[in-house]
Amino acid sequence: MTTQIKSLEEYKEAYQRSVSDPEGFWKEQAETFTWRQPFDKVLEWDFDGPDVKWFLNGKLNITENCLDRHIEERGDQIAILWEPNDPTHAVQQYTYKELLAAVCRCANGLKSKGITKGDRVVFYMPMVPELAIAVLACARIGAVHSVVFAGFSAQALADRVDDAQAKMIICSDYNNRGSKLIPVKKIVDDARAIGCDSVASVIVHQNTSDEIAWTDKDTWWHDLIDGQADSCEPEMMDSEDMLFILYTSGSTGKPKGVVHTCGGYMVYTCYTFRNVFQYQDGDIYWCTADIGWITGHSYIVYGPLLAGATSMMFEGVPTYPDAGRFWEICEKHKVNQFYTAPTAIRALMARGDEWPAKYDLTSLKLLGSVGEPINEEAWHWYNIHIGKEKSPIIDTWWQTETGGIMITPLPGITDAKPTYASYPMPGIQTCLLDSDGNELPEKDVEGLLCIKFPWPSMVRTTYGDHERCKLTYFSTFPGMYFTGDGARRDAEGRIRVIGRVDDVINVSGHRMGTAEVENAINEHPNVVESAVVGYPHDIKGQGIYAYVITQDLETDDAFRKGITDVVVKEIGPIAKPDKIQFVSGLPKTRSGKIMRRILRKIASKDTDNLGDTSTLLNPEVVESVKSGAL
Ligand code: WT7
């Protein structure tokens, strides 16, 4: 197993070593895994390409490390513990032995459908154990998984399937989410009607007893695995072979497919899981994320299983059947490590202190937060009402592109200060830059957060468009990975991540490109132009504020609904604008660029100082936009 840091001295030592001898540091961690062929070089890198390779010529299969290597020691330990949406339904569990067998059966099923190494398989599924099983089955046979969050629309699904040129979609019939029943298979059918020509087969997991339409490309999950052998030789993968693609939004229109590879991702997710969560044998670990996001990939599936942990998966939502559900689950399963998002904490905080007070939360040893900056009020509520002021809170900063946690307190080891993600993990060389690219080494300073040196689980490329990877992350400041976030460093060297500095907003911990939402809004036939910005939102962190130019005469609310419907159709309900303001014009520079800075201030009701507007092309619109603000 990768090492587990136990004290501040050990953290400092590990950090020092990771900087002075990064290759030696990661070599030692990597050697704790099962390699079919040892790597002959630790690292080759060039951020200009970018061209980054870890553990060169090493051959491995990540599922052999997640499953097979644990069988002897912990074959009968629970690997995945599943809590259903409906609390009266049965819990499911898979021991390591059972999970290995289930993964192998599914892997053999996938092979029977002609899926082979390198093929892309898109997932569009609820949080059921079969999702984790099939993801691992892909990895077992070397197929590349791309999980699409089941809240995206048919159009968004089709865009991703087409970009990945996926050969198969794995979905369910319906998704139980709170009191809603979401017709997942129907959405897949709709996606296939508008694209998805590369798809040769669709596997449907039966999750409910409701009817669905059937096509000749469809196969039931239970038929796929019926009679399959429960062993399957793992495909030998090169360390740098693709493990998965995960689509994420950026500042330009189309979401990009972030590519992660086998070896480095394995080493880093396991290392960070063990250290950040300080997992001990017998612990029950629960991350509430969805496997449709990177958090679910790294810290529900891969990290915990690589570390031989018991990882809980939850099908439902925090408020069903009531606002006590998370805490009821913590009590029921005696959860030890609990990892969730600030938006969930704020939503539950708003429901009142009586909900957590009803449950016994004494099993909790550690509380985690991820996805967006956690505000001070939510941090304190989490600390007092959930952790009872005895569980350290770890505010973990990272990104889809970083693959694993980058900046975080280590519980009980480094100190935790509210709203600070604190210190970089060993191996992570962070720095702050000014907008000209000069490093700001001093304390008490604010700048653009960059990473100077490669780490094993970093993004390798954006699928099908390497230039875009270079442009997005490696061109702003040559020789650096640019995160897109602004941050401050305090007098003790702790880092506080403030938020995005690009045209990306963070809605309930989900990344949303403003251009993507604008493109959707502009699909409405009566919209002339639109501009989308984020604004502070009590529960979601940031809300979506849309300024829309129209020459339409329809009543405002009907038109607003029309715009919302287009966004839901193009992207999904997660991108619904919270506010839509109709405007006669948008403030623009002489060169025609929209002045988002002004729009952001107006949306945030921060209009005392709008800066100099006299150089605008149309300074007169500022007053009218301001006076019509919602
Ligand atoms: C963006 C990445 C990493 C898993 C979930 C989101 C923001 C994430 C924090 C944090 C402040 C945070 C950043 C980052 N972010 N964690 N602890 N404090 N900001 O993954 O969708 O790739 O979004 O989320 O702005 O760049 P993602």
Side-chain angles (χ1 to χ4, degrees):
M1 277 292 168
T2 52
T3 49
Q4 203 170 42
I5 291 163
K6 285 286 166 205
S7 64
L8 186 59
E9 288 62 47
E10 283 177 25
Y11 164 73
K12 286 184 177 159
E13 229 173 75
Y15 192 83
Q16 280 312 317
R17 166 99 198 281
S18 79
V19 174
S20 61
D21 177 21
E23 297 196 24
F25 177 84
W26 287 115
K27 179 170 186 281
E28 273 173 23
Q29 300 303 331
E31 279 171 351
T32 66
F33 293 88
T34 301
W35 297 85
R36 283 298 179 95
Q37 179 186 300
F39 49 90
D40 49 33
K41 193 170 178 203
V42 177
L43 171 65
E44 235 174 58
W45 69 289
D46 159 29
F47 274 1
D48 286 336
D51 184 13
V52 175
K53 294 192 178 83
W54 281 90
F55 313 118
L56 286 83
N57 303 315
K59 304 275 186 247
L60 76 152
N61 186 287
I62 195 168
T63 70
E64 198 172 7
N65 284 279
C66 287
L67 302 169
D68 309 61
R69 78 169 169 145
H70 298 315
I71 298 302
E72 200 176 321
E73 213 179 304
R74 52 181 91 245
D76 296 319
Q77 180 201 309
I78 298 169
I80 290 181
L81 180 59
W82 178 78
E83 170 73 18
N85 179 60
D86 183 333
T88 65
H89 290 180
V91 165
Q92 287 182 32
Q93 58 188 49
Y94 288 79
T95 63
Y96 272 92
K97 256 188 214 153
E98 290 164 343
L99 184 59
L100 173 60
V103 167
C104 288
R105 275 194 297 274
C106 180
N108 290 325
L110 296 180
K111 280 191 194 169
S112 76
K113 286 281 169 193
I115 300 296
T116 55
K117 181 173 173 177
D119 287 342
R120 276 82 56 213
V121 175
V122 163
F123 287 74
Y124 190 71
M125 274 180 88
M127 285 286 287
V128 290
E130 287 77 8
L131 168 55
I133 289 167
V135 156
L136 291 164
C138 283
R140 187 84 176 171
I141 63 173
V144 175
H145 54 80
S146 185
V147 185
V148 177
F149 176 62
F152 281 111
S153 68
Q155 182 65 55
L157 173 62
D159 291 345
R160 287 157 176 78
V161 168
D162 290 343
D163 188 82
Q165 285 293 294
K167 209 163 153 184
M168 177 185 269
I169 299 177
I170 305 185
C171 66
S172 60
D173 51 358
Y174 290 86
N175 177 359
N176 293 301
R177 221 173 136 72
S179 54
K180 289 191 214 139
L181 190 65
I182 297 159
V184 177
K185 168 64 162 61
K186 161 84 171 53
I187 299 170
V188 170
D189 291 345
D190 292 348
R192 284 180 52 205
I194 48 183
C196 310
D197 294 342
S198 57
V199 171
S201 47
V202 177
I203 307 301
V204 188
H205 174 253
Q206 191 170 14
N207 203 27
T208 70
S209 48
D210 293 78
E211 298 268 298
I212 51 167
W214 203 249
T215 79
D216 57 3
K217 288 192 177 173
D218 302 341
T219 304
W220 283 112
W221 169 282
H222 47 259
D223 292 333
L224 179 82
I225 60 166
D226 184 43
Q228 296 294 349
D230 58 11
S231 66
C232 170
E233 194 49 34
E235 185 74 29
M236 267 236 259
M237 304 295 283
D238 187 87
S239 177
E240 282 298 328
D241 278 341
M242 236 192 292
L243 175 62
F244 66 87
I245 305 171
L246 187 58
Y247 285 87
T248 187
S249 296
S251 42
T252 54
K254 234 174 63 157
K256 48 189 175 290
V258 170
V259 170
H260 284 289
T261 57
C262 298
Y265 181 80
M266 169 178 79
V267 172
Y268 195 75
T269 54
C270 183
Y271 179 79
T272 49
F273 176 78
R274 278 176 48 77
N275 284 289
V276 174
F277 298 99
Q278 289 290 312
Y279 186 88
Q280 303 300 318
D281 268 347
D283 284 348
I284 307 290
Y285 161 87
W286 182 22
C287 164
T288 71
D290 190 289
I291 294 176
W293 312 111
I294 190 69
T295 310
H297 283 64
S298 302
Y299 298 111
I300 294 177
V301 181
Y302 288 111
L305 297 179
L306 286 163
T310 298
S311 179
M312 192 160 74
M313 240 179 115
F314 174 42
E315 184 185 27
V317 296
T319 49
Y320 179 82
D322 59 44
R325 187 67 193 279
F326 269 7
W327 323 126
E328 186 225 318
I329 297 174
C330 285
E331 176 184 288
K332 175 174 169 186
H333 295 287
K334 301 198 168 37
V335 170
N336 301 111
Q337 291 90 359
F338 178 72
Y339 190 31
T340 197
T343 187
I345 300 168
R346 288 191 296 263
L348 296 175
M349 177 171 83
R351 299 297 191 93
D353 306 347
E354 60 273 26
W355 291 105
K358 286 187 197 181
Y359 299 97
D360 177 5
L361 300 176
T362 49
S363 59
L364 291 170
K365 296 196 281 193
L366 169 156
L367 303 175
S369 168
V370 61
E372 53 178 310
I374 178 165
N375 51 307
E376 200 136 1
E377 196 192 354
W379 196 99
H380 287 298
W381 188 82
Y382 203 24
N383 186 34
I384 294 167
H385 295 279
I386 311 305
K388 317 289 180 194
E389 297 180 84
K390 350 179 246 62
S391 298
I393 295 180
I394 51 164
D395 175 359
T396 63
W397 175 86
W398 55 299
Q399 309 178 297
T400 304
E401 295 84 348
T402 70
I405 295 169
M406 302 287 278
I407 308 179
T408 179
L410 293 181
I413 295 171
T414 58
D415 56 291
K417 174 171 162 187
T419 77
Y420 280 76
S422 297
Y423 304 104
M425 287 298 291
I428 306 307
Q429 301 188 29
T430 52
C431 63
L432 298 181
L433 303 185
D434 68 16
S435 51
D436 297 325
N438 303 310
E439 202 171 329
L440 303 165
E442 56 273 37
K443 303 281 166 77
D444 253 327
V445 75
E446 210 170 294
L448 302 166
L449 181 62
C450 291
I451 321 279
K452 286 187 208 181
F453 193 85
W455 63 101
S457 65
M458 68 185 292
V459 55
R460 299 297 195 268
T461 187
T462 43
Y463 191 71
D465 190 352
H466 193 62
E467 193 56 25
R468 188 155 176 213
C469 175
K470 181 185 169 98
L471 270 173
T472 314
Y473 311 109
F474 298 94
S475 298
T476 317
F477 304 112
M480 300 263 178
Y481 168 84
F482 176 43
T483 64
D485 279 321
R488 70 168 292 110
R489 188 191 295 114
D490 75 0
E492 282 78 43
R494 293 186 206 91
I495 295 167
R496 170 185 190 167
V497 177
I498 300 162
R500 305 290 306 195
V501 296
D502 51 8
D503 292 324
V504 169
I505 49 186
N506 191 323
V507 184
S508 301
H510 300 147
R511 204 197 298 190
M512 201 56 65
T514 52
E516 206 182 334
V517 183
E518 287 161 10
N519 290 346
I521 292 176
N522 297 346
E523 289 289 311
H524 192 292
N526 298 342
V527 168
V528 177
E529 195 182 2
S530 64
V532 166
V533 297
Y535 72 98
H537 186 288
D538 284 347
I539 304 287
K540 299 180 178 183
Q542 282 190 296
I544 299 178
Y545 195 117
Y547 296 92
V548 172
I549 305 182
T550 169
Q551 282 151 356
D552 205 72
L553 301 170
E554 276 180 66
T555 68
D556 280 3
D557 280 342
F559 190 26
R560 280 197 179 92
K561 176 158 187 321
I563 291 172
T564 305
D565 289 347
V566 182
V567 174
V568 170
K569 175 171 165 283
E570 294 290 320
I571 306 174
I574 51 173
K576 272 187 199 173
D578 296 277
K579 293 183 181 180
I580 300 173
Q581 180 186 346
F582 296 110
V583 294
S584 57
L586 293 165
K588 289 191 176 168
T589 60
R590 294 255 157 88
S591 60
K593 233 181 115 206
I594 298 173
M595 284 292 282
R596 287 169 190 283
R597 186 176 51 78
I598 293 177
L599 295 176
R600 272 195 289 267
K601 285 200 161 188
I602 294 174
S604 310
K605 300 200 167 16
D606 169 21
T607 51
D608 290 348
N609 179 15
L610 287 180
D612 182 14
T613 57
S614 64
T615 57
L616 290 177
L617 186 69
N618 49 356
E620 71 289 349
V621 304
V622 174
E623 261 323 300
S624 91
V625 172
K626 200 171 128 183
S627 64
L630 299 170

